[in-house]
Every structure is written in structure tokens, then in C-alpha cells.
Amino acid sequence: MRILYFVSRLREGGPSNQLRYIIEHLGSAYEPVVLTLSPEESPSARPEFELEGIDVRSLGYTRYGGLVRGPSALRRFVNKLQPDVVHTQGLRPDLLAALFLRNVPRVAILRNYPLDDYVSKFGRLRGTIMAKLHLWALRQIDIPVACSYTVQRAVAKHELTLRVVQNGIDASAYAPVESIEEKQHLRRRFDLPEDRPVFVSVGLLIPRKDPQCLIRGFHQSSGAEKGVLVMLGDGPLLEECKREAEAGEGEVRFPGFVDNVAAHLQAADYFISTSRSEGLPNTVMEALGAGLPVLLSDIPSHREILKRGTQAGRLFELEDPSELARSIDVLLCKDKTELRTAARAVIEAHFNANRVSQEYQEIYKSAVQ
């Protein structure tokens, strides 16, 4: 079965990782081809796809050129390739597939709730228009899929019914260290204290992630005196976060974007997310895969993950630094070995990449029947 995966770009991050996981675990009965609408921008995940031998091609259009000239080029490409199923991801690919690929079975994956995500990124007016357009496009797709039950429930109020295939991760790539010596080696590599707790967060420094709450909560906890907070990522709130970090006594570091997130997670002891909204966050699952107990803001997608392993972490009230501080102190008093075992078990049992790919293979089969 020939599957065409159509995306805007292979931007480095969660959505591209999820797509690669699906393809890597396809059986020999499948012939995957990835088509991007626009040229890659740095940082790009395309080299990772090509390293795995995945066939990646591009139409090479700019953001707006793809909407004007893309339809005819896309139709020519599809007519030549003759895929059995087209699997799209993202606003522009979903919209083009909805409008111009009506003769091919189409599967689309929604990785966020558009009204939350687009409004946060592009402002209320533009974001709302984009969200409504995306929801319309998904109604035209043969089999729309949500990455979580949280996203499924959010779009249900727009008279849109989605199947659910929960995200997963490569459990071998995100795994705990095998020994204390290995963790200490990583600590030295990243210039981290070997005898103090290390807390880590991963993500863009944007309002939706609420990084200021994370810093304030860390400062208010006893963990601020004992440990260090490492915030991996960058974004428009970086300078504000640095000022917030300097206002407290705890040590907060900002390494920016790194290309070895898995190693940073292995070097840490605990993971924290203060996000206000998520689809089903890869970073949380990657942290659990590395054996890190997690402290998560009490939002539906975080509850969806911890429901699978209540001993793997703790929820705290959204936008409440004091509650985060209390949760940090509680977690510091718990047995680390039990927490790490529970964290890893969640991934092995529920959120692994092979399971995700198997579920999509069943969807592809149903699409061509």
C-alpha cells in the first residue's frame, strides 16, 4: 500500500517526530512517500527522515505561493504517484487535500485544538479565522484523527467527530540511564551539579507555556535552594524569563534549543510543564520515557497522560506558582526509585511509537475498503 504523507514542512519538533515514528514502524507491505509543500527552514527534521531511508520530496512553494500554485502541482504529483491513501498534517495540507484531492482516500491528524493554538500564535482575529478554516477542512476529510481524547472532546462542540490515536514516542531513544555513573557523566558533560536535584522543562518560551509561572514556582519551593532548573527552548519571552529568574534565589539556566534533548532528560531528576493548553505533549512523554517523574499543570491533556500512571507524577493547579512550589516539595520527599519505575512503565504500556503506527495501519486499511 502506497501512502503519501503531505505536510507543510518537516520542522524539527513533536509533529515531525510523530510522523517519523508512524513511518519507521510501517511493515514491508507499505511504501511511504513524504511530500512537503514548502522548502525547509532551520532547524529541520528532514535529515532524520532521510537517514532512516524515507523518501522525502518537496513542491518547494512559499507559504502563500503554495496556496496559489500548490493545488495544480499537488494534483500532478498525486496523479503520477497514484497513492492508495493521502495522510495530511497541518492547516495548509489539510485544506489543499480537502479541496483538491477528493478522489483519493484522505486521513488527517489534528495535533492541537485550533482555537487555542492559532489564537495564541497569531492573535485573536487571524487565529480565529485560521482555526475555523482548519475545522472546515477537517469536515471534508474522509477520516480525521485526533492525537488525544482531549483534542477530540474540544472539537466535538464544533460538530466534528474524530477518531483518536494517542501520540507515542520511541521508547528506545528516550530511555533512562543504565547506571548512576552514566547520569553523573551526563551531569559533568552539561556542567550540572552531581549532588543536587535537577529540574528540566522543554518548550517554546511563549504565553501558552506560561514559563513565568514555572520560574516563580521553582523559586518558592525548597527545591530552589537545593537544585537547579534547566529550561530548554527559546522564544519571545526569553528576556522576561531571565529577569524573572534573576529576581529569585534559585538557579535557573537557559541553554536555548538543543539537539540532544534525550541526553538532557537523562541528566535530570524531574520534569515540569506549566502549559495552559496542549494536544498530547511529546515532551511529557519523552520525560516519562527517560524515567523522570513529572509535575504537570492541571489541564485535560496532562490528566490524560497521568491517568495511565498516577504514581508517575503530580498535577498542580493551573497558573498557580504556590501550588507548583508545594508539589515540588512533595515530590522531593518521595522515593525516587519508585517514581522512576512508574514513569517508565507509562510509556512501555501505553505511549510507544509501535502502537501508534499499528493503529494508523488499521486506519489505512479501512480507508481503502
Side-chain angles (χ1 to χ4, degrees):
M1 186 183 295
R2 183 174 293 165
I3 312 295
L4 174 62
Y5 296 93
F6 182 39
V7 300
S8 293
R9 293 185 179 92
L10 291 173
R11 184 177 289 110
E12 196 172 87
S16 292
N17 288 342
Q18 290 297 322
L19 182 63
R20 180 166 52 84
Y21 297 154
I22 293 169
I23 297 172
E24 286 177 348
H25 290 85
L26 292 175
S28 59
Y30 292 87
E31 182 183 341
V33 176
V34 176
L35 177 66
T36 64
L37 180 60
S38 300
E40 295 301 315
E41 296 177 350
S42 183
S44 170
R46 179 166 180 166
E48 298 175 32
F49 280 71
E50 294 176 334
L51 189 63
E52 296 296 330
I54 299 170
D55 185 359
V56 181
R57 311 182 200 182
S58 181
L59 296 179
Y61 289 110
T62 62
R63 181 178 298 275
Y64 296 105
L67 294 176
V68 175
R69 298 185 296 274
S72 58
L74 176 61
R75 281 193 294 247
R76 288 195 299 271
F77 187 95
V78 170
N79 288 338
K80 183 177 181 180
L81 186 68
Q82 292 292 304
D84 297 288
V85 175
V86 174
H87 183 156
T88 57
Q89 177 173 286
L91 171 56
R92 289 188 296 158
D94 289 354
L95 184 60
L96 290 172
L99 290 170
F100 304 108
L101 297 181
R102 296 180 181 272
N103 295 326
V104 185
R106 297 156 300 174
V107 175
I109 175 65
L110 184 63
R111 300 201 177 281
N112 55 52
Y113 176 46
L115 279 168
D116 280 348
D117 192 56
Y118 295 157
V119 169
S120 173
K121 288 180 180 177
F122 303 107
R124 183 163 299 280
L125 178 60
R126 183 183 174 193
T128 299
I129 293 172
M130 292 172 65
K132 290 184 180 296
L133 193 60
H134 200 169
L135 293 170
W136 176 87
L138 289 167
R139 293 190 188 96
Q140 318 311 312
I141 298 294
D142 301 290
I143 306 180
V145 183
C147 72
S148 69
Y149 290 99
T150 299
V151 171
Q152 181 197 51
R153 287 191 293 268
V155 301
K157 57 190 174 188
H158 301 282
E159 299 181 355
L160 182 59
T161 301
L162 277 65
R163 298 192 191 184
V164 175
V165 177
Q166 289 178 304
N167 286 346
I169 64 164
D170 184 343
S172 60
Y174 293 91
V177 292
E178 295 183 357
S179 66
I180 295 176
E181 289 74 21
E182 184 180 355
K183 183 179 283 288
Q184 290 174 336
H185 170 74
L186 288 170
R187 294 278 181 98
R188 291 190 293 270
R189 175 181 169 187
F190 299 130
D191 191 27
L192 293 169
E194 296 181 38
D195 56 350
R196 295 159 56 197
V198 175
F199 301 83
V200 65
S201 70
V202 183
L204 291 170
L205 302 179
I206 57 177
R208 182 169 61 84
K209 301 290 187 177
D210 201 6
Q212 299 98 322
C213 175
L214 171 53
I215 298 168
R216 292 167 191 159
F218 175 70
H219 281 328
Q220 294 176 29
S221 73
S222 61
E225 300 175 3
K226 301 175 182 177
V228 57
L229 171 62
V230 180
M231 300 182 68
L232 302 178
D234 203 339
L237 295 180
L238 176 60
E239 293 306 316
E240 187 175 335
C241 287
K242 287 183 176 179
R243 289 193 294 271
E244 191 77 51
E246 291 171 358
E249 296 181 1
E251 183 181 0
V252 183
R253 300 185 185 181
F254 300 91
F257 290 115
V258 298
D259 58 7
N260 51 358
V261 172
H264 278 81
L265 293 173
Q266 289 177 324
D269 296 302
Y270 305 94
F271 177 89
I272 306 176
S273 171
T274 49
S275 283
R276 294 175 170 127
S277 174
E278 294 283 353
L280 200 67
N282 288 2
T283 55
V284 174
M285 290 183 285
E286 289 164 358
L288 290 167
L292 297 189
V294 296
L295 285 162
L296 308 176
S297 53
D298 191 1
I299 58 176
S301 57
H302 287 162
R303 290 197 296 270
E304 185 172 335
I305 293 174
L306 278 186
K307 180 180 179 181
R308 299 292 192 176
T310 57
Q311 302 304 310
R314 183 178 173 90
L315 297 168
F316 59 89
E317 189 171 345
L318 184 66
E319 301 178 3
D320 189 336
S322 297
E323 180 60 25
L324 170 57
R326 285 191 289 272
S327 295
I328 290 174
D329 294 341
V330 168
L331 216 57
L332 284 171
C333 294
K334 291 193 173 184
D335 183 271
K336 289 184 179 180
T337 301
E338 292 181 3
L339 288 171
R340 291 168 182 164
T341 300
R344 179 64 184 179
V346 173
I347 299 305
E348 292 179 342
H350 302 287
F351 298 110
N352 61 83
N354 183 61
R355 186 269 306 162
V356 175
S357 184
Q358 292 296 325
E359 291 187 25
Y360 271 110
Q361 290 172 49
E362 293 302 316
I363 288 175
Y364 300 152
K365 292 173 185 176
S366 68
V368 299
Q369 290 178 352

